[in-house]
Amino acid sequence: MFTTLSWVDIGLVFSITLASFAFIKTLGRSDMRATEPSVIPLKRQYLFEFDHSGKLVCTNEHARDFLTDLKLVNPDWTCLRDTLKHRFGDLPTCINETETPVLTSFQPFSDIDPMTLEIEQHVNGLSLNMFEREISDIISHVAVHNVLSTLPNIALVQAVSENAPFPVWQSNKAGKIEWSNAFYKSLARRIDRKDAPLFEITPTQDFEKNAQRISLKDRAHNRTHWFDVTRQSFEDGHLYFATDVHAVVNAETAQRNFVQTLAKTFAHLATGLAIFDRNRQLVLFNPSLFDLTELRPEFLTARPNLFSFFDQLRDNQIMPEPKNYASWHERIADVIFAASDDNFSETWHLPNGLTYRVTGRPHPDGAIAFLFEDISAEISLTRRFREEADVTRSALDALDHSIAIFNRAGYLQQHNAAMLEFLGQDADQKLINMSVKDITRLCQKTCQPTPAWGEIRNFVSEGLERKSHQQRRSTS
C-alpha cells in the first residue's frame, strides 16, 4: 500500500531539491571567482574573540570585513552564533569559563562549503576561528554565506529525496534515467519491465502543467497501481514526480459503477427523472422523461440549464400555461427555490387531458432532482369513485328510512339525510370519525330504552360473530 501525498508535500520536496542543485550551480558563477588570479591565494582565517559575557572584544582583518559585509555591528556571541548555525549546526549557546582550554571542531553541513570552524573555550572567554579547508580563489565569502545560510544541509536534502514515499527520478536530455530514489528502485524491482522504462510517458505540450495518469501492472500480486506523474525541467533534462492515486482511481471507478447502476435502475422507472447539478445543468435523466415531456433526446443530451428545460416544457405544453409571461422567470426561480428547500410538489393539469405530479427534491452538493409522474389514471379513478359515491349518496337520500353504513373497523362510512335528521344533527361534518358506539348513544337519546342498541354495537364491532348472529336471527 502506497502513501498518498498532497501536491503541497510534493512541491516542498521538489523545491528543496531544486534549491540544492541551484546552489551548486551558484557557486560556479563567474562573479564569485577571480578569472585570472595573479598570485596563489593563501588560506584565510576569520578570528573572533569573546569574553565571558559574550561581548566581542577582538577580531582580525578578515573577520572585520566579514562582519562589515554582513552589516553586523559589534555583534555579541548570540548574534554571531545565530548567523552561523545554519552552516555549522549546534554551536554552544553560552560561554563557559574553563581553566583548561576546550577545543571543538565543527564541520559544515554542506560538502561544498569551503569553510570549517573551530571554537576554543578558555579562561578568558571564547575564541572562534573560521578558516578555509583548502586554498581557494573565492573572493566573496559573504555571497557564499548568504547562499549557504538559506539552504538546508545537503544531507537533509538527500534524505528527503531518497526516502520520499513516492517515486522521484531524473532523466537527461535523451530521456535516460540518471538518478532515482529508493521508492522508484523498489517499485522497479517489483514490476519488472525488462529494458522498458518503468513509466511509459507520452510527451504532451502541457505535461509540465498537468499531471499524466499512468498505470503499472503488478502481475506478481495481480493488481494495478495508478500514478499521477508530473515533470519539471531541470538543467538539460527533467525531474519526475509520481503520486500514488490508486485510492482515487478506485473511488472514481466505484462512483462510475454506482452511477451506471442508478442509470439502469432509472431506465425501468415509469416516473420521469431529471437531475440538475449545483450549476443547474442537466446531468442525469431517464428514458421515461422522453415519453412524459416529449423533449427531444438531442436537447436533453446537450445538458440544458433549468430555465431552458422549463422553457421547453412550456413550449411543448407539458406544464400549465403561465398567465403572465413577464413573471415567467420569477415563477421558475420560485420553483427552484422550493425544490432546493424540499418543499415543491405540484399537480399539473395539461391541455391534452393528462395530469402530472411534479416533485422537486434537493440532493447533496446543491443538486436538484425533479420527478415527473403521470397520475392521469389515478385522477380518473378518483373522479369515478367520487361520482359513484355521489350517486350512492343520492340514492340513499331518496329513501325515507334512516340508514347508516359502518366499515369493518366500526366507524361510520356513509349515511343518508334521514339518518342525519334522526340523530338531530344539522351537518355531515359532525358525524365524521364517529364510531358505532357514538352513533348508538345518539340514537338512545332520541328513542325509548331498548336492548337493541347493544345488540347493534356488538353486531358491528364483533365481526367474527356476524355470521352466527345472522343465522340465529334468520332461524328465530
Side-chain angles (χ1 to χ4, degrees):
M1 179 64 74
F2 301 114
T3 303
T4 301
L5 299 182
S6 66
W7 291 110
V8 176
D9 300 326
I10 296 174
L12 177 60
V13 174
F14 175 63
S15 300
I16 293 174
T17 305
L18 282 184
S20 301
F21 283 112
F23 166 68
I24 297 173
K25 295 186 67 176
T26 302
L27 290 182
R29 293 185 306 179
S30 59
D31 61 344
M32 295 179 61
R33 295 182 177 273
T35 56
E36 292 292 338
S38 57
V39 295
I40 299 177
L42 299 176
K43 291 184 180 180
R44 279 166 290 195
Q45 294 188 4
Y46 301 76
L47 301 176
F48 304 85
E49 292 287 345
F50 295 88
D51 62 16
H52 292 295
S53 66
K55 179 181 178 181
L56 181 64
V57 295
C58 182
T59 60
N60 69 351
E61 182 180 356
H62 291 306
R64 285 194 297 273
D65 293 341
F66 182 78
L67 296 177
T68 300
D69 292 339
L70 291 180
K71 298 180 180 180
L72 297 176
V73 180
N74 294 325
D76 58 9
W77 166 242
T78 300
C79 179
L80 186 62
R81 176 186 179 276
D82 292 340
T83 303
L84 299 175
K85 68 180 181 180
H86 298 290
R87 293 175 61 182
F88 298 98
D90 296 330
L91 303 179
T93 56
C94 59
I95 300 175
N96 300 320
E97 181 178 355
T98 59
E99 295 184 0
T100 302
V102 178
L103 181 65
T104 307
S105 297
F106 294 88
Q107 297 300 320
F109 285 134
S110 175
D111 293 337
I112 56 177
D113 193 326
M115 308 297 290
T116 189
L117 187 145
E118 287 184 351
I119 291 179
E120 182 180 8
Q121 298 199 53
H122 45 76
V123 68
N124 295 321
L126 181 145
S127 299
L128 185 148
N129 182 14
M130 186 171 62
F131 54 89
E132 294 176 336
R133 288 182 287 176
E134 60 184 13
I135 297 176
S136 171
D137 59 352
I138 295 177
I139 60 174
S140 179
H141 281 287
V142 174
V144 174
H145 173 81
N146 290 336
V147 173
L148 290 172
S149 61
T150 58
L151 289 177
N153 64 78
I154 296 299
L156 173 62
V157 174
Q158 291 175 341
V160 171
S161 303
E162 184 67 17
N163 300 317
F166 54 89
V168 182
W169 67 100
Q170 177 194 3
S171 68
N172 58 22
K173 188 176 182 179
K176 182 180 178 181
I177 297 178
E178 295 184 341
W179 173 86
S180 60
N181 69 345
F183 197 101
Y184 182 97
K185 294 183 179 70
S186 174
L187 189 62
R189 287 192 298 269
R190 217 178 326 155
I191 303 175
D192 187 9
R193 294 179 56 84
K194 306 300 180 184
D195 297 331
L198 180 60
F199 291 91
E200 292 184 358
I201 297 173
T202 303
T204 57
Q205 293 182 350
D206 60 345
F207 190 13
E208 296 190 4
K209 296 181 179 179
N210 300 312
Q212 190 172 124
R213 184 157 294 181
I214 298 175
S215 63
L216 299 179
K217 303 291 184 181
D218 188 351
R219 304 187 187 281
H221 298 85
N222 192 26
R223 63 174 298 183
T224 301
H225 302 290
W226 289 90
F227 292 89
D228 276 351
V229 179
T230 57
R231 183 181 73 177
Q232 298 292 335
S233 298
F234 177 73
E235 293 185 344
D236 293 334
H238 297 91
L239 284 174
Y240 295 86
F241 302 86
T243 307
D244 177 26
V245 292
H246 185 75
V248 176
V249 172
N250 285 345
E252 292 175 349
T253 302
Q255 184 182 29
R256 283 195 300 269
N257 293 338
F258 179 69
V259 172
Q260 291 174 1
T261 301
L262 287 180
K264 292 178 181 178
T265 303
F266 295 153
H268 298 286
L269 292 178
T271 301
L273 175 68
I275 299 179
F276 297 82
D277 61 15
R278 63 186 306 173
N279 298 319
R280 303 300 180 255
Q281 299 289 135
L282 183 64
V283 293
L284 184 65
F285 56 90
N286 67 342
S288 295
L289 193 65
F290 300 150
D291 304 329
L292 295 175
T293 63
E294 300 179 5
L295 296 176
R296 300 185 307 277
E298 55 270 21
F299 172 75
L300 296 175
T301 54
R303 300 186 62 192
N305 59 34
L306 259 174
F307 286 100
S308 299
F309 179 81
F310 280 105
D311 282 341
Q312 195 64 39
L313 288 181
R314 184 197 64 187
D315 294 342
N316 290 359
Q317 295 185 337
I318 304 300
M319 67 180 302
E321 188 71 15
K323 297 180 180 180
N324 184 1
Y325 282 97
S327 61
W328 168 247
H329 281 275
E330 294 181 5
R331 156 71 174 154
I332 299 303
D334 292 339
V335 169
I336 296 173
F337 178 79
S340 302
D341 198 33
D342 197 12
N343 194 29
F344 177 75
S345 181
E346 290 186 352
T347 300
W348 292 353
H349 301 282
L350 307 182
N352 57 9
L354 296 177
T355 303
Y356 287 174
R357 179 187 294 120
V358 183
T359 307
R361 290 286 182 267
H363 276 245
D365 198 27
I368 298 178
F370 284 94
L371 303 175
F372 296 82
E373 184 180 1
D374 185 357
I375 59 172
S376 302
E378 177 184 338
I379 295 297
S380 178
L381 180 62
T382 302
R383 288 172 179 171
R384 286 199 301 269
F385 176 78
R386 288 177 179 173
E387 290 174 357
E388 292 176 0
D390 291 341
V391 171
T392 301
R393 178 63 186 270
S394 299
L396 292 176
D397 288 341
L399 299 175
D400 295 332
H401 299 288
S402 300
I403 298 176
I405 301 175
F406 298 90
N407 59 22
R408 293 182 63 86
Y411 286 90
L412 184 65
Q413 186 168 348
Q414 276 191 333
H415 63 280
N416 62 354
M419 173 58 74
L420 188 66
E421 182 180 357
F422 176 73
L423 296 176
Q425 305 296 322
D426 56 0
D428 291 340
Q429 289 77 9
K430 294 184 178 181
L431 300 182
I432 294 176
N433 296 328
M434 278 196 174
S435 66
V436 63
K437 294 182 180 180
D438 300 326
I439 297 298
T440 53
R441 288 194 182 101
L442 291 176
C443 292
Q444 286 176 330
K445 294 179 180 180
T446 59
C447 299
Q448 294 294 330
T450 174
W453 300 120
E455 293 181 4
I456 292 174
R457 282 195 296 269
N458 295 336
F459 174 71
V460 173
S461 59
E462 298 176 3
L464 297 177
E465 299 292 333
R466 287 182 184 179
K467 186 175 181 180
S468 61
H469 179 74
Q470 290 173 347
Q471 288 175 347
R472 285 199 309 270
R473 298 286 294 180
S474 62
T475 58
S476 60

